[in-house]
Amino acid sequence: MPVNLSAPDPSKLFPVAGVRIGVAEANIRKPGRKDLTVFLLDEGASVGGVFTRNHFCAAPVQLCRQRLDERQPIRALLVNTGNANAGTGEDGLRRARDTCEALAALLNIRPAQVLPFSTGVIMEPLPAERVVAGLPAAIADAQPDHWARAAEGIMTTDTVPKAVSARAMVGGAEITITGTAKGAGMIRPNMATMLGFLATDARVDQALMRQLALELAAGSFNRITIDGDTSTNDSFIVIASNRAANAPITALDSADGQALKRAMLAVARQLAQAIVRDGEGATKFITVRVEGGKTPDECRRVAYAIAHSPLVKTAFFASDPNLGRILAAVGYADIDDLDQTKIELYLDGVHVAAQGGRNPAYREEDGQRVMRQAEITVRVHLGRGSAADTVWTTDLSHEYVSINADYRS
Amino acid sequence: MPVNLSAPDPSKLFPVAGVRIGVAEANIRKPGRKDLTVFLLDEGASVGGVFTRNHFCAAPVQLCRQRLDERQPIRALLVNTGNANAGTGEDGLRRARDTCEALAALLNIRPAQVLPFSTGVIMEPLPAERVVAGLPAAIADAQPDHWARAAEGIMTTDTVPKAVSARAMVGGAEITITGTAKGAGMIRPNMATMLGFLATDARVDQALMRQLALELAAGSFNRITIDGDTSTNDSFIVIASNRAANAPITALDSADGQALKRAMLAVARQLAQAIVRDGEGATKFITVRVEGGKTPDECRRVAYAIAHSPLVKTAFFASDPNLGRILAAVGYADIDDLDQTKIELYLDGVHVAAQGGRNPAYREEDGQRVMRQAEITVRVHLGRGSAADTVWTTDLSHEYVSINADYRS
C-alpha cells in the first residue's frame, strides 16, 4: 500500500507540445503488460540527462551517455520494462543498439538520435526481437496526451503510476511541465532515479540541459532512498521542446533560468517523493532533516545513515519509539569530531533527545503518538554549524522482504 | 534458527587460570534472566581492548577507554544486559561509575580497576541500583569453570550462547584460550563486536595488549556484518592472566607472539562467525570473498557492499539465484576506476559471471542448487590486482523484521 499516493488523474496531466508518447504490449517478460514506451520528440528539442554512478551500469545507460556527450539531436526515447539489460556485457550493448536501429528505421532518423532505457531483472539477455516487434504498435499509439499511459508503461514493481504536471510563467510566457517516473526498489539514486522523464515546452538552450538535469536531480531524485541499493539503470532525462513563447533561456542563473528551475524542481521532487511513497513494502513516508552541520555533505551523510539503518526502519514499521537507534545511526555516520553532547533529536514537534541524552521532558507517549502517523519528520541538530540537508525514505516491512524474495518467481 | 550453531559443551570449555566468572539474576529489564556477569582477574593480568567507533558510544565504553588508556591494573569486568547505558549523557556516566564503585568496594580494589560493559536497549537510564544489588550473588557464584554461564549471562537477542576454547603450544608451554561473545543484531562492528571477552593464561607483556586486541579484532569481529548498524557499545577485551609456563611474550612479531596470535585468532574468528550464525532471523551463513583488488581496503568495501545490500540478502533468504543483484552491489561500492568487463563472480564452485556478463556456460539450476545451501561462499574477482579480503554475513528474512519490530514490546 503506497503512503498517501494515488494514480494521477489523466485530465490533470498536460500535454507538452512537441512530445508524443506511445505504449505497447511487447511480451518482454510477461504477456498482457504495457512494457514498451516510446517518447517521440519533434525536431529542435533540447535534451539532457544524468545517469547512475553504478560502475555496473547497464548497456542502455552506456549508449545514452555516449549519445548525449556527442550532442546528438535526440528525436526518440525507447523504454522497456521486464529486463534491465545490465550485467550483459558486449552482447547487451549490441542488443540495445539493435533496438535503437529498428526504431530509427521506422522513424526515418539516425540510430544515434534514439536514447534507450531498460528496467527489470539484471543479467539476463534482452529479448531485442520482442522489443523490435512491438515498436510499430507503440509508434501507432503515439499522442501528446498519453502521459498517463507512459506512467503505466514504465512501471515494474510500482503499485501506482507516477506522473505530475505543472504550469508556470517563465520569460513572459506560460510554460508547461509534465513528468513521469518509476521505481520502488533498488532505490538509492546516485545522480538520478531508476527512470525519470521530465519534459517542458519551454525554450531552453541545449548547452544548459546537462547542468539543468544535474541540478534538478540534486534536489529531488538524489535525496531519496528506499533500500540503499543504487541501481545499474538509473536514468533521469530532461526535455525542453522549445515550443513555448518564452524568451529563450540561455543561462540557468538568470531570473528566467531560476524561475524555470524552481517550477521544474517542484515537479521533480513530487515524482521523487512518489517513488518513496510507493517504496517496496512502505507503510510510512519519512523525512529525515539534519541541521546544524558544518557542511551540507556531512548533514546528508548523517541523514542517509539514519535512512539506511535497518534497525531504524523496522522501528518505524513497528511504530515503536525505540529512538536510541536513531542516535546510534548518527554516531556511526563517520563524522570524525562529532560531539555527542551537542546532539538534539526531534520527532515532528516532539523533543526526544537533548544534549545527547534523553530529554528529561520527553514522554514516551508523545513519541508513540508521532510514530503511529503515516508521515513523520525526523529532525536532528548536530550543533556544529549552520548547514542542513534532507532525504526522504520509507520504513522496512515484512512486505519488503516478501517482494524481494519473490521478485523473479 | 541459528545456522549450524549449537550451544557449547561446557566440558569442552577450559578454565583459564587466574580468571573466575560469576553470574546472577539482577532483574535489570526482565525477571528470571541471567543478566549480570562478573569476570574476576587475579593480580598481574595483562588486559587490552578495542571499542566501537560509533561517536555515540555508551557510558561504559567511555570509562573502559579511559581506564585502559591510563594503564590501570584491571581486576574485574562487570557486564550487564537489558540496558545499553548509551545515549544517556552525563547521568549515564555517573550510573556506570556507581556500579564500578560498588563492585570495587566488595572486592577491596579501586573503582578504576573495574571495566564496565552494558548491552541492551539504548537511551533509557541504567537501573544502577539493581546492578549493585545483584553484585554479591554474582561474586559468590564466581568459579574458573563458569565460561558456559558467562556465555549465557551476556546474551540479549542471541538464541544460542557462544563460547569457544582451544589449547596451543606457545613459547615452550601449553597455553589455554577461552572466549565468549554475544550479539545478534546491530552488528557491523567497527573495531570490535557487541561484546567479546577472550582470555588466555599465557604470559604476555601488558604493553602489547592493545595492539593484540586490535589485530585479533581485525581478523574476526571487524569482518562480520548482520545489518550494517555499528553499535554504540561494541567492546572486545583480551585478557592474559600470565599464569602459564610459557616464555613471556614481549613482541607480537616474534615467533612466539605470532604463534599466540594464530591460536587466539582462530578462537576469535569462531566467536565472530558464531555471532553471524546466530544473526537475527538468519537462515544462511554467507562468506563474501573479494579477490583481485588493488588493496585489501577496496576488497573489503566491495565485500561490505554485497553483504549490506538488502536486495542481495533477500535473494539469499529466498534461495533465488537473482545474482545480478550482486553485480549491482559491486558496481556501487565506490571504486572509481572499476572496469566492469573484468568482473568474475562465483557461487561456491559455480562460475556465474565472466567478463562482467553472464557466463555462457552458467546454468540457472547450478546457481539454484548452491543458493539452497545453508552455507554459501560468494567469490568476486575484480581483475585489477592481487589483494583480497573476506567478510561474513547473513541473509535478510521476515524473522529479522519481526525481531526488530518487536524488540521492545
Side-chain angles (χ1 to χ4, degrees), chain A residues 102-119:
Chain A
L103 182 57
L106 291 166
L107 298 174
N108 201 21
I109 58 177
R110 283 176 295 110
Q113 295 182 286
V114 179
L115 298 181
F117 305 86
S118 296
T119 177

Side-chain angles (χ1 to χ4, degrees), chain A residues 165-233:
Chain A
S165 259
R167 287 194 168 128
M169 289 302 294
V170 171
E174 187 182 68
I175 65 155
T176 295
I177 301 163
T178 302
T180 182
K182 63 84 49 178
M186 202 176 264
I187 296 287
R188 193 243 160 123
N190 198 340
M191 291 316 298
T193 184
M194 279 291 277
L195 295 181
F197 304 99
L198 191 57
T200 177
D201 57 357
R203 299 172 70 184
V204 186
D205 194 334
Q206 168 63 43
L208 306 180
M209 295 305 290
R210 178 168 160 74
Q211 185 60 28
L212 178 60
L214 275 170
E215 292 185 23
L216 293 175
S220 58
F221 297 107
N222 276 358
R223 288 293 178 280
I224 65 173
T225 186
I226 290 170
D227 45 21
D229 276 292
T230 299
S231 156
T232 49
N233 290 57

Side-chain angles (χ1 to χ4, degrees), chain A residues 55 229 331-332 335 364 408, chain B residues 55 229 331-332 335 364 408:
Chain A
H55 288 282
D229 276 292
Y332 66 68
I335 299 188
E364 177 104 357
R408 296 206 320 171
Chain B
H55 288 282
D229 275 291
Y332 66 67
I335 300 188
E364 177 105 356
R408 297 204 320 173

Side-chain angles (χ1 to χ4, degrees), chain A residues 28-107:
Chain A
I28 290 168
R29 186 170 179 80
K30 291 180 181 162
R33 220 168 130 161
K34 297 189 187 79
D35 52 9
L36 185 65
T37 302
V38 294
F39 293 76
L40 307 182
L41 314 184
D42 287 356
E43 241 175 310
S46 304
V47 179
V50 286
F51 301 91
T52 184
R53 279 191 185 140
N54 193 312
H55 288 282
F56 243 100
C57 64
V61 169
Q62 297 176 53
L63 289 186
C64 279
R65 276 213 182 96
Q66 185 186 330
R67 288 166 185 184
L68 288 174
D69 282 354
E70 293 167 2
R71 299 278 172 102
Q72 298 285 350
I74 301 301
R75 295 291 308 282
L77 278 50
L78 166 51
V79 191
N80 75 271
T81 66
N83 185 302
N85 196 5
T88 47
E90 272 303 318
D91 178 65
L93 274 172
R94 190 179 52 71
R95 288 170 194 248
R97 277 196 204 97
D98 286 351
T99 61
C100 294
E101 277 170 24
L103 182 57
L106 291 166
L107 298 174

Side-chain angles (χ1 to χ4, degrees), chain A residues 63-395:
Chain A
L63 289 186
C64 279
R65 276 213 182 96
Q66 185 186 330
R67 288 166 185 184
L68 288 174
D69 282 354
E70 293 167 2
R71 299 278 172 102
Q72 298 285 350
I74 301 301
R75 295 291 308 282
L77 278 50
L78 166 51
V79 191
N80 75 271
T81 66
N83 185 302
N85 196 5
T88 47
E90 272 303 318
D91 178 65
L93 274 172
R94 190 179 52 71
R95 288 170 194 248
R97 277 196 204 97
D98 286 351
T99 61
C100 294
E101 277 170 24
L103 182 57
L106 291 166
L107 298 174
N108 201 21
I109 58 177
R110 283 176 295 110
Q113 295 182 286
V114 179
L115 298 181
F117 305 86
S118 296
T119 177
V121 71
I122 301 176
M123 220 180 71
E124 295 192 2
L126 177 74
E129 68 294 347
R130 291 189 216 164
V131 174
V132 170
L135 289 174
I139 294 171
D141 183 60
Q143 298 289 345
D145 63 352
H146 274 182
W147 281 93
R149 278 175 74 76
E152 275 185 76
I154 65 176
M155 284 167 71
T156 54
T157 56
D158 309 62
T159 67
V160 173
K162 300 165 185 76
V164 175
S165 259
R167 287 194 168 128
M169 289 302 294
V170 171
E174 187 182 68
I175 65 155
T176 295
I177 301 163
T178 302
T180 182
K182 63 84 49 178
M186 202 176 264
I187 296 287
R188 193 243 160 123
N190 198 340
M191 291 316 298
T193 184
M194 279 291 277
L195 295 181
F197 304 99
L198 191 57
T200 177
D201 57 357
R203 299 172 70 184
V204 186
D205 194 334
Q206 168 63 43
L208 306 180
M209 295 305 290
R210 178 168 160 74
Q211 185 60 28
L212 178 60
L214 275 170
E215 292 185 23
L216 293 175
S220 58
F221 297 107
N222 276 358
R223 288 293 178 280
I224 65 173
T225 186
I226 290 170
D227 45 21
D229 276 292
T230 299
S231 156
T232 49
N233 290 57
D234 292 340
S235 304
F236 173 52
I237 296 294
V238 181
I239 299 161
S241 67
N242 290 307
R243 295 277 295 268
N246 66 297
I249 293 169
T250 54
L252 290 178
D253 55 2
S254 65
D256 288 351
Q258 291 188 5
L260 177 75
K261 271 195 296 187
R262 261 196 311 277
M264 293 192 87
L265 183 58
V267 173
R269 197 170 275 180
Q270 279 185 71
L271 288 171
Q273 293 184 356
I275 286 178
V276 174
R277 291 176 187 284
D278 195 18
E280 288 174 347
T283 75
K284 303 265 167 82
F285 177 83
I286 317 287
T287 299
V288 184
R289 167 95 181 152
V290 177
E291 303 171 344
K294 285 187 183 164
T295 62
D297 180 66
E298 73 175 28
C299 294
R300 195 160 57 252
R301 253 185 1 253
V302 171
Y304 271 121
I306 296 168
H308 287 148
S309 160
L311 288 169
V312 171
K313 291 167 98 80
T314 47
F316 278 113
F317 170 56
S319 300
D320 177 6
N322 193 341
L323 301 171
R325 292 177 177 178
I326 297 177
L327 296 185
V330 172
Y332 66 68
D334 214 20
I335 299 188
D336 272 346
D337 51 350
L338 187 75
D339 179 354
Q340 64 163 276
T341 68
K342 299 272 181 64
I343 307 294
E344 308 285 319
L345 169 63
Y346 298 81
L347 210 61
D348 278 11
V350 177
H351 191 172
V352 175
Q355 299 178 305
R358 189 189 179 100
N359 174 16
Y362 169 67
R363 299 178 314 157
E364 177 104 357
E365 58 263 41
D366 294 331
Q368 181 69 68
R369 182 174 38 78
V370 178
M371 289 298 276
R372 285 204 199 95
Q373 300 168 184
E375 308 219 0
I376 299 168
T377 296
V378 174
R379 189 157 63 86
V380 173
H381 200 285
L382 300 177
R384 40 193 272 128
S386 55
D389 209 343
T390 301
V391 307
W392 299 284
T393 192
T394 59
D395 56 339

